[in-house]
């Protein structure tokens, strides 16, 4: 504004640059903030005062970097209170405060088109949609219809508070799997409670379709045995194209994230006329569940957190836990007489199998309908198959034999496993996964962790890079628990080895958070319901 | 949620200088506070390109949800003490 001017301003800039220099020495990102801001101060004296304050701030920051003073001290200051009040008032009174409470949502019932349902189940199934605002801040921008399926209680006497199942993901559809849920999820189904399934926005049968071609495209990348660099490049391109596709369809990436999902869930509750419900969150669903606990505690009777998704905004555990899960598989094989006899050193067999694929990939055909006729299986594809299989108990038992088969260069044994995983991969909304993760945790990986991922899977994790170009970050999910909502934490309850091993530390952190916030940890079902058993 | 307002209402992001004027805090007090709030995950910040050429990008701030909750608690506590009842909840 006032760049070419008198001695006062020149002095101010010299002072501000000094402040920036001090701040940079302590690694603070704020140096430029103060310096740049000065360009916008019209008055020279004012600018000088600003710069001098900047020096003061920089010295304090330098001091703080040494002393690590406790933050509460600052909060006790009146100054902090005043600042918070200003920030808060502007947030609360923002011009676009379209609050969801002003809407009265409804459940629009329609015939169920759920695959593989029995006659018995069909009689208990209710399907429909609930419309939610695309943009909660500007409801005039229209709505998304969310798919909702209710599996009615099988008992005659029904409790008034149903169970909401929040699945893993993000991006994993649920309503289309109602039959599998009804058949397999005995821990979640209570005979005297309705079970509610929702496809979150952008997932499964809910609107909007987020890059519907992306899963098939990415599946083909896995099936090509690309070199790591080429794979990363193609992956990056696919997600960049997806981002452009959103623009073309007028979809704002800021409309996604766990905090938005929670508001959607809340609208579904109101549409269904439920006053309080029980929430069963699994894996990523625990993030949504905990955010729900923080935002809408009064709507919750009880919460089960099964296989807690790493709650940290910056988890550093991903590479670590992938390794730990592999080691647990090797240990489990060693401890099992049959497995140990058949595969005396499964870890070595795996390494050799990977090395063999590195030299010469294996080729195998797939059944029609998956958009892939031939898979060229290289180390990256195989590592991915193994990693994905670690999530599912039925697949776990197959893994040693699969590793042996690849080691022995016999790919045919892998065909059913690959087909099964491909089906799941194609059903997941890859676009939603990016959309949610990039809003929730745009900087997922430390450099060190990215290296760990690379050493494990042979290609760099592109999360942070992709998110950098995806959207402005959203509010982080609220995962510290809330007092007053009875919650049961299942750390080792998952059917999946990957989760049984991996969330140990996340679970401990959540446990601490829940305990420290005085939340009770108790069994959640009533006497008439089937008890929830850890380990089921 | 709050971020959705970003595009629709750019005013929700605040400049350091504006905050300074509004709170009466000098930069030497304001920035350490902002830094600390940021470190605690209560405040988020971003850079925005200048509206006019020749000027540098500006650093903008606003509360995260955690920060909002903290701020609300503080305000409610104050209000409870002052007028004897809690502020209404916002969805």
């Amino acid at each position: 504004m006032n760049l070419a001017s008198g001695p006062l301003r020149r002095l101010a800039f010299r002072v501000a640059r000094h402040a920036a220099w001090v701040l940079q020495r302590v690694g603070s990102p704020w140096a430029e903030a103060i310096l740049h801001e000065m360009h916008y101060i019209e008055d020279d004296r004012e600018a000088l005062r600003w710069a001098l304050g900047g020096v003061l701030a920089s010295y304090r920051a330098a001091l703080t970097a040494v002393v690590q003073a406790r933050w509460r001290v600052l909060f006790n200051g009146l100054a902090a209170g005043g600042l918070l009040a200003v920030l808060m008032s502007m947030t609360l009174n923002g011009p676009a405060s379209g609050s969801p409470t002003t809407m009265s949502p409804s459940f629009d019932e329609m015939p169920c088109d759920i695959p593989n349902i029995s006659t018995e189940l069909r009689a208990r199934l209710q399907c429909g949609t609930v419309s939610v605002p695309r943009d909660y801040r500007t409801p005039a921008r229209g709505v998304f219809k969310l798919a909702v399926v209710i599996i009615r209680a099988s008992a005659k006497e029904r409790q008034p508070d149903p169970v909401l199942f929040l699945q893993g993901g993000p991006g994993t559809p649920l309503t289309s799997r109602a039959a599998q849920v009804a058949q397999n999820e005995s821990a979640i189904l209570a005979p005297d409670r309705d079970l509610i399934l929702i496809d979150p926005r952008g997932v499964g049968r809910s609107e909007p379709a987020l890059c519907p071609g992306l899963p098939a495209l990415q599946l083909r990348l896995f099936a090509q045995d690309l070199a790591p660099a080429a794979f990363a490049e193609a992956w990056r391109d696919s997600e960049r194209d997806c981002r452009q596709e959103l623009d073309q369809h007028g979809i704002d990436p800021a409309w996604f994230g766990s905090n938005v999902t929670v508001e959607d869930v809340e609208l579904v509750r109101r549409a269904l006329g439920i006053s309080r419900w029980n929430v069963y969150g699994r894996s990523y669903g625990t993030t949504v569940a905990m955010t729900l606990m923080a935002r809408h505690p009064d709507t919750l009777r009880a919460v089960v957190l099964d296989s807690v998704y790493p709650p940290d905004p910056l988890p550093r555990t991903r590479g670590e836990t992938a390794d730990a899960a592999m080691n647990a598989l090797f240990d489990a094989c060693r401890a099992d007489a049959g497995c140990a006899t058949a595969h005396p050193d499964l870890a070595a067999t795996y390494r050799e199998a990977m090395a063999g694929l590195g030299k010469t990939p294996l080729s195998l055909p797939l059944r029609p309908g998956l958009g892939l006729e031939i898979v060229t299986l290289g180390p990256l594809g195989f590592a991915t198959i193994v990693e994905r299989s670690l999530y599912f108990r039925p697949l776990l038992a197959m893994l040693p034999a699969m590793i042996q088969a690849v080691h022995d260069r016999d790919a045919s044994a892998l065909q059913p496993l690959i087909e099964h995983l491909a089906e799941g991969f194609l059903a997941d909304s890859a676009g939603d996964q990016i959309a949610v993760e990039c809003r929730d945790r745009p900087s997922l990986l430390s450099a060190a962790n990215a290296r760990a991922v690379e050493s494990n899977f042979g290609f760099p994790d592109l999360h942070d890079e992709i998110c950098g170009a995806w959207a402005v970050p959203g509010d982080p999910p609220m995962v510290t628990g809330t007092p007053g909502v009875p919650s049961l934490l299942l750390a080792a309850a998952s059917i999946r080895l990957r989760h049984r091993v991996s969330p140990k530390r996340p679970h401990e952190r959540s446990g601490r958070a829940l305990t420290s916030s005085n939340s009770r940890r108790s069994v959640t079902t009533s006497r008439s319901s089937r008890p929830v058993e850890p380990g089921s | 949620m709050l971020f959705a307002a970003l595009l629709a209402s750019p005013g929700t992001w605040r400049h350091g200088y504006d905050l300074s004027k509004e709170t009466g805090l000098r930069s030497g007090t304001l920035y350490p506070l902002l830094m600390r709030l940021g470190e605690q995950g209560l405040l988020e910040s971003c850079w925005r390109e200048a509206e006019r050429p020749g000027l540098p990008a500006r650093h903008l701030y606003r509360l995260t949800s955690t920060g909002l909750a903290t701020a609300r608690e503080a305000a409610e506590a104050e209000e409870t003490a002052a007028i004897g009842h809690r502020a209404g909840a916002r969805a």
Side-chain angles (χ1 to χ4, degrees), chain A residues 392-468:
Chain A
F392 306 102
R393 176 175 274 176
L395 302 186
L396 269 182
M398 297 166 65
L399 268 180
M402 296 299 133
I403 291 170
Q404 190 70 50
V406 171
H407 177 273
D408 300 343
R409 310 291 297 168
D410 170 20
S412 60
L414 260 76
Q415 190 184 336
L417 176 63
I418 292 178
E419 286 172 355
H420 177 83
L421 291 173
E423 279 169 24
F425 192 93
L426 290 171
D428 282 354
S429 169
D432 179 75
Q433 183 169 23
I434 316 167
V436 170
E437 290 284 27
C438 286
R439 291 277 291 161
D440 282 8
R441 309 193 291 182
S443 314
L444 185 66
L445 300 167
S446 66
N449 198 38
R451 275 196 297 279
V453 172
E454 189 166 2
S455 74
N456 210 54
F457 299 112
F459 70 101
D461 197 292
L462 304 168
H463 176 93
D464 290 15
E465 185 191 329
I466 286 160
C467 287

Side-chain angles (χ1 to χ4, degrees), chain A residues 174-222:
Chain A
L174 190 58
T175 63
S176 58
R177 293 179 179 153
Q180 288 97 307
V181 171
Q183 198 181 340
N184 303 328
E185 298 287 0
S186 56
I188 300 171
L189 287 160
D192 56 353
R193 288 198 159 85
D194 294 348
L195 180 67
I196 294 160
L197 313 176
I198 306 171
D199 283 341
R201 59 172 65 198
V203 178
R205 304 180 311 141
S206 286
E207 294 176 338
L210 278 184
C211 310
L214 186 59
L217 195 105
Q218 294 189 332
L219 184 63
R220 280 198 291 278
L221 297 183
F222 278 117

Side-chain angles (χ1 to χ4, degrees), chain A residues 462-482:
Chain A
L462 304 168
H463 176 93
D464 290 15
E465 185 191 329
I466 286 160
C467 287
W470 185 268
V472 284
D475 296 340
M478 304 163 96
V479 290
T480 52
T482 301

